[in-house]
Amino acid sequence: MAAMVVQRCSSLARSVSRIYVLSSPAVTTQLCKYSSSTKHPFQGNGEGGSPTGHLTMNSASKQLSTADIKKIPDSEVRKSVFISQSNDVFTNLALEDWIYRNFDLTHHHILMLWINKPSVVIGRHQNPFSETNVSALARNGIELARRNSGGGAVYHDPGNLNCTFFMPRARYDRKYNLTLLTRSLYREYGINAELSARDDIVLLGKKISGTAAKLGQPNAYHHCTLLVNSNKLHLGASLAKDNVEITSKATASIPSPIKNLVDVNRTVNIQQLLSAIGYEFLRTPATQLTDGGRELLMKQRGFQLINPTDKWFPGITELRENFASWDWRFGKTPNFSVQKAIQLKSAGGDVHQQEMKVKVDVEKALIKEISLILPNHEPIPVVSDMVGRAYNEDCFHGIAEALKGANTESMQQVMGL
C-alpha cells in the first residue's frame, strides 16, 4: 500500500382600480398600523393584534383535528396576499418558515408573493454539487440556498415570480393552488397553461413552473415558481454541473425544457402578473374552485406589503442566519463520492494510458478520504492535508492536478509502471 502527500487545492382591490406594488427592498410601507403603546405585534391578544391582522399559533388551534378543520365552512375563512419587500433569498425563505411555524391558519389562508435576486435554490434533501457548480456560482456572485421543502433545484432571478400558498395541513390541495395560477394566466392574458402529471405547469409542452411542498402539523405550505422573463442563458449556466462522476443517494432533479411567459405573450410583466394572481386568490373560496367575484373579494383581508424584519416577525433574523449558514446549505448534504479519470506521468515524462481515477469521499460536505482507483488494484489511499476540509469543485480539481503531476518511484512501483 502506498501513500502520497498532496498539498494543493487551491386592501388593494382590482374591482375598484389596478394597483401595482413595487418589489424594491426600499419599499417598506406598512398597510396595517399598530400603536407602539400596545403589546408586541406578535404577542397576540386573541383578536389578531399583529401588523398583518393574523393570529399566531396557540394550543387550541394546534389541537384541532383534521375533521374539525374540514368542517370550517369557506364563509368563515379569510384570505390575505402578502407581498415580500425583500429580494434576498435567505430572508424570503426565513419568512416562509416563520409563517409556517407561527401563524394560525385555521381561519386564514395566505398567498405570499416574492422575487429574489439571482440565486439557485435546491431541495432539502439534495446534493448541491450534483445540481450545480458551486465554485462557479460563487465566482459569479450567485447565492446557493437550500429550502425546507423537497423537490429539485431551481434558478431564481428578477424575471421569476415565486408563489407560496399557506394553509392548514388538513386543507392542503396542490392542484387547487396550481389551478388558481393557470386561471389567472388565462383571465389576464388568455394564456392556456396546463398541469402535467408531475404537477408542473406547462405551456406548449414546456415547463413554466416547478413545485414543492412542506407538509407538517398543523400547517403546510406549497410553493412554486413562474418563469415570466427569466434570463434563460444564466439559468442554464447556473444549473450546469461539474464534469465529474458523482455517486450520491440525494434526491436528483429531473431536467425539463422550459419556457418564459413572455415567449408566448410579450405583454406579460411581473407586477401585472403579481396583481392578477393575488386577485384570483382573493376572489376564489378557500376550498372550491368557483368564482366569488367582487362580493368575495371585498370580504378578504386584501394585499399587504410585508417587511420581513424582527419588528414584524420576532426571530426572523436568526432564521435567516440559519438558512444562510454553511452548515445548512452544505453540511446537510447526504454523503457522496466524486471520481474523475486521470493519467499519470512516468519519471521520464511519458504519459501512461493505463486507466485510473482519483476518488474523493465526502461526508457532511467535508473531504473524508482521497484515493486512487486502478484496474485490478485495491484503492490506493492518498495522504493529504485536504482531508477534513470543505469540499468544492475547485479543490477536487486541484487534487486531481496534483496527482497527475506525481511521478514518485514508490507510486510507479505500486502501479507496475
Side-chain angles (χ1 to χ4, degrees):
M1 195 66 68
M4 302 178 63
V5 179
V6 177
Q7 296 183 351
R8 288 181 56 189
C9 165
S10 325
S11 165
L12 298 181
R14 180 176 155 194
S15 57
V16 179
S17 63
R18 177 73 56 73
I19 299 179
Y20 301 111
V21 184
L22 297 175
S23 61
S24 166
V27 181
T28 56
T29 306
Q30 298 180 17
L31 299 190
C32 297
K33 301 293 185 181
Y34 59 92
S35 169
S36 59
S37 62
T38 62
K39 291 194 293 184
H40 194 284
F42 280 99
Q43 285 180 324
N45 56 12
E47 300 177 19
S50 76
T52 58
H54 279 70
L55 289 171
T56 49
M57 195 71 64
N58 56 47
S59 58
S61 60
K62 289 181 180 180
Q63 292 171 4
L64 283 177
S65 68
T66 296
D68 290 335
I69 293 175
K70 287 184 175 180
K71 289 178 183 177
I72 298 172
D74 283 1
S75 60
E76 295 182 11
V77 178
R78 294 292 177 261
K79 288 185 170 185
S80 295
V81 177
F82 286 1
I83 304 171
S84 174
Q85 294 303 287
S86 174
N87 297 131
D88 174 69
V89 62
F90 304 117
T91 299
N92 283 323
L93 290 174
L95 177 58
E96 268 193 333
D97 201 47
W98 202 102
I99 295 171
Y100 166 77
R101 290 168 179 255
N102 294 285
F103 269 10
D104 184 347
L105 301 171
T106 52
H107 292 83
H108 288 104
H109 292 187
I110 300 170
L111 170 61
M112 172 181 157
L113 300 172
W114 43 295
I115 300 167
N116 287 328
K117 292 180 289 188
S119 51
V120 170
V121 185
I122 63 171
R124 180 185 180 96
H125 306 293
Q126 289 198 292
N127 180 343
F129 305 101
S130 296
E131 304 299 331
T132 182
N133 188 315
V134 174
S135 297
L137 289 186
R139 287 192 292 270
N140 293 324
I142 298 174
E143 297 285 8
L144 186 284
R146 183 188 297 273
R147 61 180 182 268
N148 233 334
S149 63
V154 290
Y155 173 76
H156 291 180
D157 69 7
N160 173 79
L161 178 63
N162 298 289
C163 312
T164 307
F165 297 86
F166 295 90
M167 72 293 293
R169 169 70 179 270
R171 288 180 179 251
Y172 174 78
D173 188 341
R174 181 179 296 196
K175 282 187 168 57
Y176 170 95
N177 301 332
L178 296 174
T179 302
L180 273 176
L181 298 180
T182 60
R183 282 170 46 148
S184 66
L185 289 173
Y186 186 78
R187 187 190 301 274
E188 189 70 17
Y189 301 106
I191 294 175
N192 192 15
E194 300 176 328
L195 302 188
S196 73
R198 297 182 59 249
D199 285 340
D200 295 323
I201 301 178
V202 296
L203 181 59
L204 301 177
K206 293 188 176 181
K207 186 173 175 178
I208 60 170
S209 174
T211 190
K214 175 72 173 179
L215 306 179
Q217 285 293 351
N219 291 339
Y221 64 78
H222 165 225
H223 50 193
C224 56
T225 58
L226 266 179
L227 292 170
V228 180
N229 191 22
S230 190
N231 189 315
K232 287 190 280 189
L233 289 177
H234 291 173
L235 184 155
S238 297
L239 295 178
K241 296 171 281 189
D242 193 23
N243 186 25
V244 294
E245 178 185 344
I246 295 181
T247 302
S248 174
K249 293 183 179 180
T251 302
S253 297
I254 301 175
S256 302
I258 61 165
K259 184 181 288 293
N260 276 317
L261 289 170
V262 295
D263 294 338
V264 295
N265 187 329
R266 293 181 179 275
T267 67
V268 182
N269 67 79
I270 286 279
Q271 298 306 327
Q272 184 180 3
L273 179 61
L274 181 150
S275 176
I277 291 172
Y279 175 67
E280 194 72 34
F281 178 74
L282 295 174
R283 68 185 288 164
T284 306
T287 62
Q288 302 296 318
L289 285 166
T290 57
D291 188 357
R294 184 178 185 277
E295 182 180 356
L296 180 59
L297 173 70
M298 299 309 293
K299 294 179 180 179
Q300 310 291 20
R301 294 183 178 272
F303 291 76
Q304 299 181 51
L305 303 182
I306 298 300
N307 185 13
T309 63
D310 279 320
K311 184 175 182 180
W312 281 47
F313 306 93
I316 195 172
T317 297
E318 182 179 355
L319 280 176
R320 185 206 176 276
E321 290 173 353
N322 289 337
F323 275 107
S325 68
W326 186 94
D327 284 344
W328 171 253
R329 295 189 297 152
F330 301 107
K332 292 294 184 182
T333 301
N335 298 346
F336 66 100
S337 63
V338 189
Q339 295 185 80
K340 183 178 181 179
I342 63 171
Q343 295 176 342
L344 300 186
K345 294 180 180 180
S346 69
D350 296 330
V351 176
H352 289 266
Q353 300 300 320
Q354 186 171 3
E355 179 184 352
M356 62 193 70
K357 294 181 178 180
V358 58
K359 179 183 179 184
V360 174
D361 294 313
V362 185
E363 185 175 297
K364 296 181 179 178
L366 300 175
I367 296 174
K368 180 182 180 182
E369 187 175 2
I370 303 169
S371 55
L372 275 172
I373 309 297
L374 291 87
N376 304 317
H377 279 275
E378 291 292 324
I380 303 170
V382 176
V383 178
S384 170
D385 62 0
M386 292 307 303
V387 173
R389 296 192 187 184
Y391 173 86
N392 64 44
E393 296 87 353
D394 288 350
C395 282
F396 177 81
H397 290 293
I399 292 169
E401 287 299 315
L403 288 172
K404 283 169 63 176
N407 57 11
T408 62
E409 182 178 350
S410 60
M411 188 66 184
Q412 294 174 32
Q413 290 174 349
V414 170
M415 293 188 292
L417 300 180

